[in-house]
Every structure is written in C-alpha cells, then in structure tokens.
Amino acid sequence: LTVVGMFPLAASAQLNSAIAVTALAATKGESLTVAAAGAPVFDLSTTVANGSAPVVITTTWVLSPAKASISLYAYFASAAIALTDGATPPNNIPSANVKGKVATGAPTVFTAFTETKAIGTAGATLTLFTELITGVNKNKTRTDNLDVQIDQTGLLLPAGTFTGTLNIQAQAL
C-alpha cells in the first residue's frame, strides 16, 4: 500500500473529438381525401321526395402555403340522367330534378345540380362548400351532411326502381 502512494498518478487531460455535423430533412406532402357514407332512399309517391338520410361527407386535407381555397363538389356523370330505371326505353330523372344542400353551416335552399364547374359535369354539378385557406386551417378535417331531394315536377315517371350514382370530389386551388 505504501508503494502505490509514493508514485503520483499520471496527469490526465480531457480529450474531445472534432464536431461532426449531419443535415436533417423532413417532408410532408400535400393530401386531399373525401369519404362519403350513407345512401339515401327516396319514396317517389310524392312530387317532392326527401332522402331517407343525409350523405355524410368527410373531407380531410393537408395543404401547402400556396393553396388559397378548397371546394367540395357533388355531381352526376350526365345532366340528362341522374337516376334511371334501366328500362327499354329508359325512364330517367335528370340532374335538374335532383336538389341538394349541405345541412351543416348556414342553412341554404335546395339548388338543382345545374352549375358548370371545372370539376364535375356541366349542368350536373353542385358546389357544396368553398372554404378560404388560412394559416390555421391548412391541416383540417371537416364533416358535412348533404341532404338530397328529388322533385318530380314535370316528370311522368312510371312505377319502378330508379338508381344513380352521385360523385363527390374536392379541389384545392
């Protein structure tokens, strides 16, 4: 024990390496999705038939700072045929006789699907909403209820089952 204490320990100095650096990069891409749930059924025994339930539409987006607005559209493939019975010759319900309104937000009157837009079909498209994009809503999920109505005024439809497809699409500009 005394021998160890007689020899002083070697001085140890701190040793640091050079600083290593690396670059980091993160990317989050834009996205825009629409989901629709519900398939309203119409009782055509009355001239104006409301759908049995709304179409529930969920729109989700993550947008770049360059986007100024987002719009949601509903449209039929043809202005002349929104619903058909498929008979020969077919009996059709034109898009002008189908009306819709988004039930969330400010109440609006039913409007025939007769708008002309960049999305959809001329004379068979309805704008459901347009929302201005600001810094606080570049990333958002929105749910809207679309109420649909069939107005048979001026149509002489026979008894039968009429089917059709309503397309729903969003666009960010």
Side-chain angles (χ1 to χ4, degrees):
L1 288 176
T2 54
V3 175
V4 174
M6 291 176 38
F7 298 101
L9 296 174
S12 65
Q14 181 175 337
L15 179 62
N16 293 338
S17 71
I19 297 172
V21 297
T22 187
L24 301 177
T27 302
K28 185 173 187 175
E30 287 189 300
S31 64
L32 178 57
T33 60
V34 176
V41 176
F42 301 88
D43 177 1
L44 298 180
S45 64
T46 62
T47 302
V48 177
N50 292 316
S52 58
V55 178
V56 180
I57 305 166
T58 302
T59 310
T60 302
W61 62 85
V62 176
L63 300 175
S64 72
K67 299 297 189 282
S69 67
I70 185 164
S71 296
L72 184 67
Y73 303 98
Y75 64 92
F76 296 101
S78 166
I81 307 170
L83 293 98
T84 185
D85 66 357
T88 306
N91 297 289
N92 301 322
I93 300 173
S95 66
N97 290 77
V98 181
K99 301 176 182 182
K101 73 172 182 173
V102 175
T104 53
T108 58
V109 297
F110 279 86
T111 304
F113 284 67
T114 56
E115 296 181 60
T116 301
K117 298 290 178 184
I119 293 233
T121 305
T125 302
L126 179 65
T127 303
L128 302 180
F129 74 75
T130 296
E131 183 173 334
L132 295 178
I133 300 298
T134 64
V136 298
N137 66 345
K138 294 266 182 209
N139 185 336
K140 182 175 177 180
T141 296
R142 174 181 170 147
T143 301
D144 295 282
N145 293 332
L146 172 62
D147 293 317
V148 183
Q149 180 185 73
I150 296 175
D151 184 347
Q152 297 179 78
T153 302
L155 300 178
L156 299 173
L157 298 174
T161 300
F162 295 81
T163 60
T165 301
L166 181 62
N167 303 298
I168 302 169
Q169 187 174 10
Q171 180 182 55
L173 299 171

